[in-house]
């Protein structure tokens, strides 16, 4: 009876003082309503800074662990790597509709640095339809009440800093692309130089043996010149003409004769 009276007084107080700062409520209290209907309640575990509370439109960052009330099963979390730096908080704008209404209301009631346990009625969570699992989205059964352990780690992040960070990323990406293009150009130049040297060596060798150099790839050829070519030369000619280079010397020779004559 005492608990019922106490809770009724709290609900009455919230309805009459919807803009009250709940960061100053004693940590010894049990779950208190966040909204006027009591469909979102919270219990403060660690108090935050009452002078820094998010308002509508502000960007916030929150760590959370979500569980289903009925089974206690964890369905989602930002703390995949515990409390290490590899665990990244969720960032969203208050009132922007990026999260369910109950989650938005709960975070709006918190203060910077605050850690709380929040209970959300299904009506302000995923409702009668629930949330079928798809992609990175967790599966939430229909009419499921859910709970979150929330930690508000950032309020009103500096937009200019975020813009500057984005610009730095763009510059770094452009530098990487430029370096990749330089490496590709240098490799192409190297390949061309190697090919030129191979041609010069082949020309010298043919000069010594009294053979004439093969015509440049893609040029006019006669039957006699084609039959004197080695497989490498045949492949170069076929490649220059956009033909297949698969097969033995006999196949390559026949294919080139078919194209050239």
């Amino acid at each position: 009876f005492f608990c019922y009276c106490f809770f009724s007084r709290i609900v009455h107080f919230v309805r009459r003082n919807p803009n009250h700062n709940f960061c100053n409520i004693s940590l010894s209290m049990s779950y208190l309503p966040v909204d006027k209907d009591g469909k979102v309640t919270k219990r403060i575990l660690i108090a935050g800074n009452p002078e820094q509370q998010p308002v509508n439109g502000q960007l916030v960052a929150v760590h959370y662990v979500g569980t289903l009330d009925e089974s206690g099963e964890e369905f989602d979390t930002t703390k995949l790597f515990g409390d290490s730096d590899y665990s990244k908080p969720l960032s969203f704008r208050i009132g922007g509709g990026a999260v369910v209404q109950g989650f938005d209301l709960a975070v709006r009631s918190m203060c910077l640095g605050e850690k709380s346990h929040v209970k959300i009625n299904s009506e302000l969570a995923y409702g009668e339809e629930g949330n079928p699992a798809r992609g990175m989205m967790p599966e939430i059964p229909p009419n499921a009440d859910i709970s979150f352990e929330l930690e508000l780690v950032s309020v009103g992040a500096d937009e200019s800093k975020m813009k500057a960070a984005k610009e730095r990323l763009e510059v770094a990406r452009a530098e990487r692309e430029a370096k990749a293009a330089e490496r590709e150009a240098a490799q192409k130049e190297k390949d061309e130089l190697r090919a030129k040297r191979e041609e010069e060596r082949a020309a010298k060798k043919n000069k010594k043996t009294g053979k004439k150099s093969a015509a440049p790839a893609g040029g006019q050829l006669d039957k006699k010149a084609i039959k004197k070519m080695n497989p490498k030369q045949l492949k170069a000619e076929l490649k220059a003409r956009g033909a297949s280079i698969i097969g033995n010397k006999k196949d390559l020779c026949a294919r080139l004769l078919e194209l050239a004559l």
Side-chain angles (χ1 to χ4, degrees):
F1 177 76
F2 173 77
C3 291
Y4 173 79
C5 292
F6 178 74
F7 185 74
S8 299
R9 285 175 177 272
I10 292 295
V11 172
H12 181 67
F13 176 79
V14 170
R15 285 178 175 171
R16 294 191 62 183
N17 302 275
N19 297 320
H20 181 73
N21 187 344
F22 290 95
C23 297
N24 294 322
I25 295 175
S26 170
L27 302 188
S28 62
M29 291 186 176
S30 57
Y31 288 89
L32 299 176
V34 169
D35 65 321
K36 62 181 182 179
D37 297 321
K39 290 180 180 177
V40 181
T41 59
K42 79 168 183 178
R43 180 167 64 90
I44 299 175
L45 305 175
I46 299 174
N49 180 359
E51 294 181 4
Q52 287 188 278
Q53 191 171 6
V55 295
N56 200 43
Q58 264 189 323
L59 189 68
V60 296
V62 186
H63 269 304
Y64 67 85
V65 178
T67 54
L68 300 172
D69 282 5
E70 187 174 353
S71 63
E73 179 188 353
E74 182 181 307
F75 63 83
D76 197 12
T77 181
T78 57
K79 296 199 171 186
L80 294 172
F81 300 98
D83 292 324
S84 72
D85 293 337
Y86 291 104
S87 294
K88 300 298 179 186
L90 169 71
S91 295
F92 68 98
R93 289 192 183 280
I94 295 292
V99 295
V100 295
Q101 189 181 356
F103 192 98
D104 192 285
L105 288 170
V107 175
R108 194 189 301 233
S109 75
M110 297 175 72
C111 300
L112 181 63
E114 179 183 323
K115 194 171 184 179
S116 292
H117 194 273
V118 175
K119 293 184 177 182
I120 303 173
N121 185 278
S122 63
E123 290 182 31
L124 296 185
Y126 294 93
E128 294 179 357
E129 295 181 1
N131 186 67
R134 58 183 183 276
M136 297 296 289
M137 296 293 288
E139 182 178 1
I140 308 294
N143 299 310
D145 295 340
I146 56 178
S147 295
F148 287 96
E149 187 173 289
L150 300 176
E151 182 182 0
L152 185 57
V153 297
S154 171
V155 176
D158 192 341
E159 299 287 348
S160 62
K161 285 183 180 179
M162 292 181 69
K163 188 177 178 182
K166 190 175 180 181
E167 287 174 355
R168 285 197 299 273
L169 284 172
E170 291 295 334
V171 170
R173 188 180 294 111
E175 287 176 354
R176 285 197 301 272
E177 288 173 357
K179 285 179 181 178
E182 284 176 12
R183 286 195 298 271
E184 190 176 339
Q187 186 62 43
K188 187 177 179 182
E189 190 177 343
K190 245 168 127 182
D191 292 341
E192 288 174 354
L193 185 60
R194 189 183 295 113
K196 189 177 178 182
R197 285 175 180 170
E198 285 177 1
E199 284 177 9
E200 288 173 355
R201 280 197 295 268
K204 284 179 184 178
K205 188 177 178 183
N206 289 338
K207 192 175 180 181
K208 284 180 183 179
T209 57
K211 292 180 182 178
K212 290 183 179 179
S213 299
Q220 291 294 325
L221 297 169
D222 57 28
K223 189 173 182 180
K224 192 176 180 181
I226 291 172
K227 287 187 175 181
K228 285 183 179 180
M229 286 183 181
N230 58 39
K232 189 175 180 180
Q233 291 169 329
L234 288 167
K235 286 182 179 180
E237 290 292 342
L238 287 167
K239 194 172 183 181
R241 288 168 168 76
S244 172
I245 59 172
I246 298 171
N248 55 30
K249 183 180 177 181
K250 187 178 178 181
D251 294 334
L252 298 172
C253 191
R255 197 173 299 134
L256 186 55
L257 282 167
E258 196 177 306
L259 292 169
L261 300 178

